[in-house]
Amino acid sequence: MKINLTKLILLLGLTVTMSCSKTAKKEVEPVNYVKENYTKKEVKITMRDGVKLHATIYAPKDTTKTYPILLQRTPYSCRPYGEDQMRPKIGPNEILMKEGNIIVYEDVRGRWMSEGVYDNMRAYIPNKTEKQSDETTDTYDTIDWLVKNVPHNNGKVGTWGISYPGHYATVSTIDAHPALKAASPQACIGDFFFDDFHHNGAFLLSYFRAISLFGTYKDQPTDSAWYSFPKMNTQDQYQFFLDKGPLKNLNEYFQYDKPDSKNVASKSDIDDFFWKEIVEHPNYDSVWQSKGIIQHLDKVPSTVATMIVGGWFDAEDLYGPLETYKGIEKNQPNNYNTVVFGPWDHGGWSRSKVKNAVGNYYFGDSISLNFQKNIETKFFNHFLKGSGSKESGLPEAYVYDTGKKEWKSYDVWPPKNARKQSLFLTEDQNLSNTKTNTSKISFVSDIKRPVPYSEDIKTVFTPRKYMTDDQRFAARRPDVLVFETEIMEEDMTLAGDILAKLNVATTGTAADWIVKVIDVHPSDLKNDNEDMQSHMKLSNYHMMVRSEVLRGRFRNSFANPEPFTPNKKTKVDIKLQDVFHTIKKGHKLQIQVQSTWFPLIDLNPQIYVDNIYKADEKDFKTQTHSVFTDSSIEFTVLK
């Protein structure tokens, strides 16, 4: 099945700079600004091992001055192909496009028009021989060729990208070429066991349709799609996955050679190399460990300035940008390294829409446009056209308080005046500053009626809006435990990571644990978002601020899973990613605890098996889970 690439890109939100509002289109005069002001050239750049990569170079027609090079390396195509075919927009944003820069896109190894065989999250090779290559050398060789062969460049290069291209921007900083002066990894993947397809060992079942995009084999350059997406033939993904049962029943969607369905053995065959990798490596073993890039951030030279960008409500890549910023800070504290986090979903900062909302929740106008003009453009211009000194005029941390709906600047993240503060669960399901009597609260986790992650009936390519969704639908289920404070008498600003310190038990030998942090709004609020779903009201809105899952088998080690002992009280710590959110006076802070989150994550059998991807239907059992009231939630609170 051939696919429409433009629709795919918009679905994934990976090259969101290509989308623009009607207002933005009117501002671009003439209609195709790129065609009128840029020339386009397509080249093949030879890597040190002889493999040729395809690159597209957009150069300003005004050749009276020199320009920096802005490079994006991508697995999502340099389209449109053909030197007479132009993108409608190029570069990180419209301002940098209009100011004049040499903009380069490159298909990474094994993708689209580039030679070689693709390796998903290709591992970094330390101590390489002269002819060995990885993505760091491919980037180095590309930059080296560009600065030596592209006319009118000023010898300075910047890299940027969102999501997977953001990962390649991170890669560019490691063992970097001397010409690389600025890099902006945005929504960047950091480690595939914690980003995108996995969360703390749980499989993101909602990403099922994206598997073939990365795992369909190709060994020849092509300008058209060589993969197809599974046909679900339904608009109800909850029921679809519930009916499918164990993960092994999804193998048929990744059998591209159409094996004989009458042959029982053939039903376990897998042609998709990414799905096979996931199935055969259920634990954080050497395969996944080698693919992580954040482990190598000690190799970012001080000559490269970095600006990490992310969205507080990015359902796809939240772990990556936070850990990338923190990793550079830890390993290279003297580097110029900044972080920007705003009220965005995946790639929202690069869109040209005036209105900024995530799902039903509205944050304000022109937030993304102001970022592009006053932060992103300023960053690249300072390091690629200006002095390049550490005095850029930008804050170390430029972060948006999603509760107060305002920006703040800090000289470090989390802020220096942030302190740890714990709230304890109580028997009457409140949150208390002090530990009370220890008792247990139990619920039945029915594998035939898992807790949905959204009340919407939908089938989506990748999840997004649930990150700010109203959680009242979940709070009203008997298999979701709810704990909350009294109405706040003063503001409480959460500014940093969150650690759920649970003490739990289960009648089975396996369980998942999901913790959600929720801002319960006052009942007298009026709707402020005309695009809010018609059934939804801001009155008493239970806004999810942060959420995370831990597959219980990994409570002590992601590499060495272990079962629970039935009915034994067991410690389970769940780290939730950073937030910057004020629970305002008049609101309440709520915690929800549950053990299913479907079909965002796959179902846990609730009895221990060595590999959940190979579990049988008989392995899935309903169990009773318990949470003890000496459990606590440790927040990072701004004092």
Side-chain angles (χ1 to χ4, degrees):
M1 179 182 75
K2 299 295 182 183
I3 62 150
N4 184 309
L5 180 70
T6 303
K7 287 183 179 178
L8 165 65
I9 290 173
L10 291 174
L11 277 168
L12 287 172
L14 299 166
T15 317
V16 291
T17 53
M18 293 178 65
S19 66
C20 56
S21 67
K22 292 180 180 178
T23 303
K25 286 181 180 177
K26 290 179 181 177
E27 293 172 356
V28 179
E29 295 293 346
V31 175
N32 193 331
Y33 184 91
V34 179
K35 190 170 185 178
E36 294 296 324
N37 293 275
Y38 282 83
T39 61
K40 179 185 176 185
K41 186 177 182 180
E42 296 183 334
V43 299
K44 300 292 184 184
I45 303 176
T46 304
M47 301 295 102
R48 63 189 61 186
D49 61 357
V51 171
K52 293 181 173 62
L53 304 188
H54 178 95
T56 299
I57 302 166
Y58 292 90
K61 288 183 177 179
D62 181 359
T63 59
T64 62
K65 51 187 175 181
T66 60
Y67 304 92
I69 296 170
L70 280 168
L71 168 66
Q72 181 182 107
R73 304 186 68 243
T74 177
Y76 299 121
S77 175
C78 293
R79 277 187 171 183
Y81 297 107
E83 293 190 347
D84 60 335
Q85 301 295 313
M86 299 280 202
R87 289 191 178 205
K89 292 179 70 176
I90 56 175
N93 63 53
E94 190 175 292
I95 301 165
L96 288 165
M97 174 183 76
K98 288 186 171 182
E99 283 185 354
N101 287 280
I102 298 168
I103 311 293
V104 180
Y105 296 91
E106 182 178 63
D107 291 333
V108 298
R109 182 180 295 243
R111 299 293 286 186
W112 298 92
M113 291 298 288
S114 286
E115 295 178 354
V117 176
Y118 178 65
D119 185 357
N120 205 11
M121 289 293 286
R122 186 176 168 202
Y124 171 79
I125 303 173
N127 306 313
K128 287 178 281 291
T129 63
E130 187 176 339
K131 291 295 183 180
Q132 275 187 306
S133 67
D134 56 20
E135 293 303 334
T136 66
T137 64
D138 282 359
T139 311
Y140 189 104
D141 295 347
T142 297
I143 291 175
D144 196 62
W145 189 94
L146 291 172
V147 295
K148 291 176 180 176
N149 292 278
V150 177
H152 309 293
N153 81 81
N154 69 0
K156 296 181 180 180
V157 178
T159 55
W160 97 99
I162 296 169
S163 196
Y164 219 140
H167 163 75
Y168 291 113
T170 304
V171 167
S172 74
T173 68
I174 296 170
D175 300 332
H177 191 284
L180 183 66
K181 301 301 179 184
S184 185
Q186 304 180 1
C188 45
I189 303 165
D191 189 311
F192 247 7
F193 206 71
F194 304 96
D195 276 310
D196 283 303
F197 294 92
H198 297 96
H199 274 218
N200 290 331
F203 174 61
L204 268 287
L205 186 57
S206 50
Y207 280 58
F208 157 72
R209 292 179 64 208
I211 296 289
S212 58
L213 173 64
F214 301 100
T216 306
Y217 183 77
K218 179 186 80 73
D219 61 359
Q220 295 294 326
T222 179
D223 62 0
S224 57
W226 63 98
Y227 46 83
S228 62
F229 297 121
K231 291 182 178 180
M232 296 172 68
N233 298 320
T234 181
Q235 294 182 10
D236 186 347
Q237 62 183 7
Y238 182 99
Q239 195 63 45
F240 172 84
F241 287 115
L242 203 58
D243 292 343
K244 278 296 177 185
L247 287 174
K248 65 187 295 186
N249 292 342
L250 298 178
N251 290 349
E252 63 182 294
Y253 292 95
F254 305 110
Q255 296 172 336
Y256 306 138
D257 293 335
K258 298 180 180 178
D260 181 2
S261 60
K262 295 179 182 179
N263 183 347
V264 176
S266 72
K267 292 184 178 181
S268 63
D269 292 344
I270 301 172
D271 296 318
D272 187 288
F273 64 80
F274 184 38
W275 180 241
K276 190 169 187 176
E277 194 168 53
I278 290 172
V279 168
E280 296 299 334
H281 300 276
N283 308 323
Y284 191 50
D285 59 16
S286 59
V287 169
W288 298 117
Q289 292 173 27
S290 70
K291 290 175 178 288
I293 200 66
I294 54 176
Q295 294 87 336
H296 305 291
L297 294 175
D298 58 337
K299 302 174 183 68
V300 180
S302 60
T303 51
V304 180
T306 49
M307 183 176 74
I308 318 302
V309 183
W312 287 128
F313 302 108
D314 188 341
E316 297 177 48
D317 298 294
L318 180 62
Y319 173 90
L322 284 167
E323 293 302 312
T324 299
Y325 167 75
K326 292 176 181 179
I328 296 175
E329 284 295 293
K330 177 183 176 181
N331 291 289
Q332 305 288 47
N334 296 320
N335 282 24
Y336 182 95
N337 180 41
T338 64
V339 64
V340 180
F341 261 88
W344 300 304
D345 60 8
H346 194 59
W349 51 91
S350 66
R351 300 188 189 110
S352 51
K353 290 176 64 176
V354 171
K355 181 178 179 179
N356 283 134
V358 177
N360 287 307
Y361 206 86
Y362 169 70
F363 290 100
D365 289 343
S366 302
I367 295 172
S368 300
L369 296 173
N370 288 334
F371 159 76
Q372 293 166 32
K373 178 181 179 181
N374 300 316
I375 304 297
E376 185 175 48
T377 297
K378 190 172 183 178
F379 170 76
F380 280 117
N381 282 347
H382 178 76
F383 289 101
L384 301 181
K385 295 180 179 178
S387 69
S389 70
K390 289 189 176 182
E391 303 303 318
S392 67
L394 295 171
E396 165 84 7
Y398 189 55
V399 287
Y400 188 91
D401 184 327
T402 55
K404 287 186 174 180
K405 299 184 179 181
E406 63 184 26
W407 287 100
K408 291 290 186 181
S409 298
Y410 296 103
D411 56 8
V412 67
W413 180 262
K416 290 178 181 176
N417 57 334
R419 300 290 183 269
K420 299 297 183 182
Q421 178 179 330
S422 292
L423 292 177
F424 293 87
L425 312 186
T426 72
E427 187 175 11
D428 53 2
Q429 295 190 240
N430 291 328
L431 291 170
S432 171
N433 288 316
T434 57
K435 189 185 299 185
T436 58
N437 294 332
T438 301
S439 59
K440 71 177 180 179
I441 306 173
S442 301
F443 62 94
V444 175
S445 181
D446 186 345
I447 52 99
K448 294 184 182 298
R449 295 186 67 251
V451 180
Y453 80 96
S454 170
E455 64 178 340
D456 296 342
I457 304 300
K458 60 185 178 181
T459 297
V460 296
F461 195 85
T462 54
R464 285 200 177 197
K465 72 176 276 293
Y466 85 94
M467 293 287 282
T468 62
D469 264 355
D470 189 329
Q471 297 299 306
R472 276 175 281 197
F473 76 94
R476 292 163 182 169
R477 285 184 57 117
D479 48 0
V480 176
L481 302 184
V482 178
F483 305 86
E484 65 181 24
T485 64
E486 298 295 326
I487 294 173
M488 291 285 181
E489 296 182 356
E490 58 183 25
D491 290 352
M492 179 181 183
T493 299
L494 313 179
D497 62 7
I498 300 166
L499 183 64
K501 300 179 177 180
L502 300 185
N503 291 307
V504 301
T506 175
T507 55
T509 52
D512 292 337
W513 300 97
I514 294 103
V515 173
K516 298 184 288 191
V517 179
I518 293 158
D519 181 346
V520 179
H521 290 44
S523 59
D524 59 355
L525 290 185
K526 305 297 182 184
N527 287 9
D528 61 359
N529 180 8
E530 61 184 15
D531 297 324
M532 179 178 278
Q533 289 172 288
S534 59
H535 71 281
M536 192 60 62
K537 300 292 184 288
L538 200 58
S539 170
N540 196 37
Y541 193 92
H542 284 37
M543 176 192 180
M544 191 165 75
V545 174
R546 186 61 71 237
S547 55
E548 193 55 276
V549 57
L550 177 70
R551 180 136 286 171
R553 62 176 52 212
F554 297 119
R555 63 193 180 276
N556 294 319
S557 168
F558 289 108
N560 300 298
E562 57 189 290
F564 286 92
T565 300
N567 301 310
K568 181 182 179 181
K569 185 177 180 180
T570 307
K571 176 180 170 61
V572 174
D573 288 348
I574 308 171
K575 180 187 176 186
L576 286 74
Q577 301 304 325
D578 294 29
V579 298
F580 187 36
H581 185 91
T582 296
I583 310 294
K584 295 195 294 186
K585 179 181 178 181
H587 293 225
K588 291 190 288 186
L589 171 62
Q590 183 183 98
I591 298 295
Q592 292 183 8
V593 181
Q594 59 199 63
S595 279
T596 51
W597 209 15
F598 194 74
L600 183 69
I601 63 167
D602 65 310
L603 280 180
N604 192 317
Q606 303 192 138
I607 64 170
Y608 188 87
V609 294
D610 288 336
N611 187 338
I612 291 177
Y613 298 96
K614 298 181 179 181
D616 295 314
E617 186 119 21
K618 63 179 175 59
D619 296 324
F620 289 75
K621 302 291 183 183
T622 292
Q623 304 289 353
T624 297
H625 303 319
S626 300
V627 176
F628 292 84
T629 57
D630 53 356
S631 302
S632 64
I633 314 295
E634 182 184 82
F635 297 98
T636 308
V637 179
L638 204 59
K639 298 297 184 180

